[in-house]
Structure formats: C-alpha cells, structure tokens
C-alpha cells in the first residue's frame, strides 16, 4: 500500500502525467525516470525502445514500485504488452485520446499529433480503425516538438511557428478536436491553444490516465492511506544541474535529479539488455 508508483518517459514529457497523478492521488509517493540519454524514443528503433522500457521497468520494480505508468505513447505502443507479460504489478500505459475526441466532435473531423513511431504502430492503427467509421481522423507527426520541450523552449516565436506548421493544416481540414498523442506535447498546450483559438478543443490524457491508475490501485486495495502529501523522487539517464533546473520548472517545485546509470550502451540490443524476470516485479 505505501509502496511508490513508478513513472517513466523518454524525458520530461511524462512529468505532465506525473502532475496528473499528483492531483488525482496526492498521497502516493512517486518515482520518476526520464530516459534523457535515449530521448527522443520517436527516432529510435523498436528494439532500443523496448530494451529501455524493460531496463527502466526492472529498475522501478526493484525500487519496490507497486505499479508503473509508462508515461510515453511511443513506449506504450512499442512495449506495453511485453512489460505486462513479464511483470505482475499493474502497468498502466497512455494512448492518444481518440475516443473522447470522436465522441465530442461536431464536425466529424479530429486531428491527432504524435510521434511518427506512434502513428505508424499497429496499436495506433487498431485504435484509429475503431473510430474511423464515426469520424475522419487526420494525423500529424511532430518530430520537432520533443526537443523543444526537452529544452524548455515552450513559448518562443520559433515554437509558435513550428506549432503553426503542424496544427494549422488540421484546423484547415475542419478538425474541431486536437488530440495530444505524446506526453511532451502537454507542455505546449498554451501555444497550441493560441493557434486553435475557439476552433478546436485540445484533448490531453494526463487526467484519464491518472484515474485509470487510481482504479487499478483501488481494485487491488493498493491505494496509499497516508494523510501527508506523497514524496517524489526523480532520476535521469542524463542527469545534470541543467536537467534538475528544467525538471524543477516543469514540476513546479525545486527537485534534485539523480543520475541513473543503467546500460547506456546505445547499441543495446535484445540479446544484451537485461531481461526482466517475473520475480523482479
Ligand atoms: N513523451 C513521449 C511520447 O509520449 C515522447 C516520445 C519521444 O521521446 O519521441 O511519445
């Protein structure tokens, strides 16, 4: 019950999910891993993303986590099935909020922003086809967004221009909902709102994912009963003073980010990464 919840992403994007979890489950202790040495996952091979997801899941479960949130759409589509078969604790993933957008759309057209890897994945295609009879789903890969967020470049003229290039074509096609299919993009919500004005609603997954985590913990009687605010600990595979500063800004509190020196060999392959064993979870 009083064990922590683990959360990980390729970088700082999953902090948007951690903020949702902190809001919905204020008493839970959280352990957050930013795999910044391997960011962005969107441009890595499936093998590398899967290996990193396993290595980090192993680390978090060894820290005693009672549940893990894969706070990354790209790692979710790539690895969640494998993580779930290897691990007995609840593993909660994130996926683009196509369902709420489809249910609420008046124009019958919605836009989805995500990484190329998410958009081309089988699970995204399956999700898309569930709703494609109801709405026209326009997709847009946003390869420059992750780097902007990693650099905390959230409000500049450059960011606005890049966001316009991605978002305006979707609005021109009649999209009245813009789905954020990457957790990094949450931090660009103010810029995207500025672009779409009242023409579209932005759909973010932080709160629905946090509610799903709450349901899963509650079902297993794992909710932390403590009265105090939960603690949060951060690690990065590329820790530095700068990383601590940027993460503190996004988190809204001063934090020190510890170094996570786990198998940083970039040539990591399925044959040489650690294999997660059921007993580790
Ligand atoms: N936050 C990750 C996601 O939701 C970022 C992907 C990346 O690192 O490319 O997909």
């Amino acid at each position: 019950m009083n064990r922590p919840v683990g959360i990980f992403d390729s970088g700082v994007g999953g902090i948007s999910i951690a903020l949702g979890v902190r809001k919905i489950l204020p008493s839970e202790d959280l352990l957050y891993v930013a795999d910044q040495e391997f960011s962005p996952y969107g441009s890595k091979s499936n093998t590398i993303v899967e290996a990193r997801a396993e290595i980090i899941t192993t680390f978090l479960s060894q820290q005693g986590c009672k549940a893990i949130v894969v706070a990354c759409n790209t790692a979710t589509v790539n690895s969640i099935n494998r993580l779930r078969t290897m691990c007995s604790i609840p593993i909660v993933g994130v996926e683009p909020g196509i369902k709420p957008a489809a249910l609420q759309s008046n124009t019958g057209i919605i836009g989805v922003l995500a990484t190329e890897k998410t958009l081309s994945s089988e699970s995204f295609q399956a999700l898309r086809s569930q709703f494609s009879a109801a709405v026209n789903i326009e997709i847009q890969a946003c390869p420059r967004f992750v780097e902007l967020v990693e650099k905390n470049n959230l409000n500049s003229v450059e960011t606005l221009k890049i966001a316009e290039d991605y978002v305006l074509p979707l609005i021109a096609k009649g999209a009245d909902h813009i789905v954020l299919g990457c957790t990094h993009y949450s931090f660009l919500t103010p810029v995207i709102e500025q672009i779409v004005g009242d023409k579209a609603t932005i759909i973010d997954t932080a709160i629905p994912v946090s509610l799903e985590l709450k349901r899963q913990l509650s079902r297993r009687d794992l909710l932390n009963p403590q009265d105090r605010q939960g603690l949060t600990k951060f690690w990065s595979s590329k820790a530095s003073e700068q990383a601590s500063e940027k993460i503190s800004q996004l988190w809204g509190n001063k934090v020190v980010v510890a170094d996570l020196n786990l198998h940083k060999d970039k040539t990591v392959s399925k044959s040489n990464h650690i294999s997660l064993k059921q007993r580790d979870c």
Side-chain angles (χ1 to χ4, degrees):
M1 269 187 196
N2 55 6
R3 291 188 291 146
V5 171
I7 303 178
F8 76 91
D9 180 37
S10 62
V12 299
I15 293 173
S16 61
I17 302 287
L19 287 165
V21 173
R22 174 54 72 241
K23 197 168 177 181
I24 300 295
L25 295 165
S27 308
E28 298 297 337
D29 294 327
L30 308 180
L31 305 184
Y32 186 93
V33 173
D35 196 14
Q36 292 176 303
E37 180 71 19
F38 286 80
S39 178
Y41 281 173
S43 65
K44 302 294 177 302
S45 70
N46 288 348
T47 307
I48 288 183
V49 175
E50 194 172 294
R52 296 305 299 171
E54 280 188 37
I55 286 166
I56 295 165
T57 299
T58 305
F59 170 75
L60 288 170
S61 56
Q62 285 168 350
Q63 303 306 303
C65 287
K66 61 186 173 188
I68 291 175
V69 181
V70 183
C72 173
N73 292 258
T74 312
T76 298
V77 296
N78 208 68
S79 315
I80 197 143
N81 292 338
R82 183 164 165 78
L83 298 178
R84 283 185 179 141
T85 58
M86 295 172 141
C87 215
S88 58
I89 58 173
I91 309 276
V92 178
V94 292
E95 66 175 20
I98 289 183
K99 185 177 179 180
L103 293 175
Q104 293 163 28
S105 176
N106 290 318
T107 59
I109 304 163
I110 66 169
V112 181
L113 308 176
T115 65
E116 185 61 55
K117 196 175 259 313
T118 295
L119 295 174
S120 61
S121 69
E122 270 176 34
S123 48
F124 179 78
Q125 295 305 331
L127 180 67
R128 187 180 190 180
S129 60
Q130 269 183 52
F131 295 95
S132 53
V135 282
N136 180 7
I137 302 169
E138 299 288 341
I139 59 172
Q140 176 65 58
C142 308
R144 301 190 64 191
F145 271 177
V146 169
E147 196 192 344
L148 291 172
V149 176
E150 287 295 322
K151 289 186 171 159
N152 264 16
N153 184 357
L154 306 179
N155 302 310
S156 68
V157 174
E158 181 199 12
T159 303
L160 179 64
K161 174 80 192 67
I162 292 168
E164 279 176 348
D165 289 347
Y166 293 145
V167 176
L168 284 178
L170 300 175
I171 299 298
K173 285 176 183 160
D176 65 352
H177 285 74
I178 300 293
V179 176
L180 305 183
C182 168
T183 53
H184 279 78
Y185 304 174
S186 294
F187 291 112
L188 296 170
T189 299
V191 158
I192 298 172
E193 274 173 348
Q194 199 181 320
I195 295 164
V196 304
D198 57 8
K199 292 200 177 81
T201 303
I202 295 167
I203 304 284
D204 190 275
T205 36
I207 296 300
V209 167
S210 307
L211 290 170
E212 175 58 20
L213 173 67
K214 185 178 181 181
R215 270 191 293 276
Q216 298 231 15
L217 293 178
S218 165
R219 205 179 298 151
R220 293 167 174 83
D221 209 12
L222 286 173
L223 287 169
N224 196 326
Q226 71 187 358
D227 282 339
R228 66 167 173 81
Q229 164 98 355
L231 305 171
T232 308
K233 187 162 183 197
F234 289 87
W235 283 270
S236 170
S237 51
K238 202 175 180 182
S240 65
E241 236 174 76
Q242 253 191 346
S244 293
E245 232 171 76
K246 286 179 184 160
I247 287 175
S248 301
Q249 279 165 20
L250 296 175
W251 183 240
N253 260 318
K254 182 116 189 82
V255 295
V256 176
V257 179
D259 187 36
L260 185 71
N261 196 354
L262 285 176
H263 303 267
K264 288 189 185 174
D265 177 5
K266 290 251 169 77
T267 62
V268 67
S269 73
K270 274 196 182 180
S271 56
N272 68 9
H273 70 75
I274 316 179
S275 209
L276 188 64
K277 298 185 190 74
Q278 179 89 34
R279 67 169 184 280
D280 292 329
C281 307

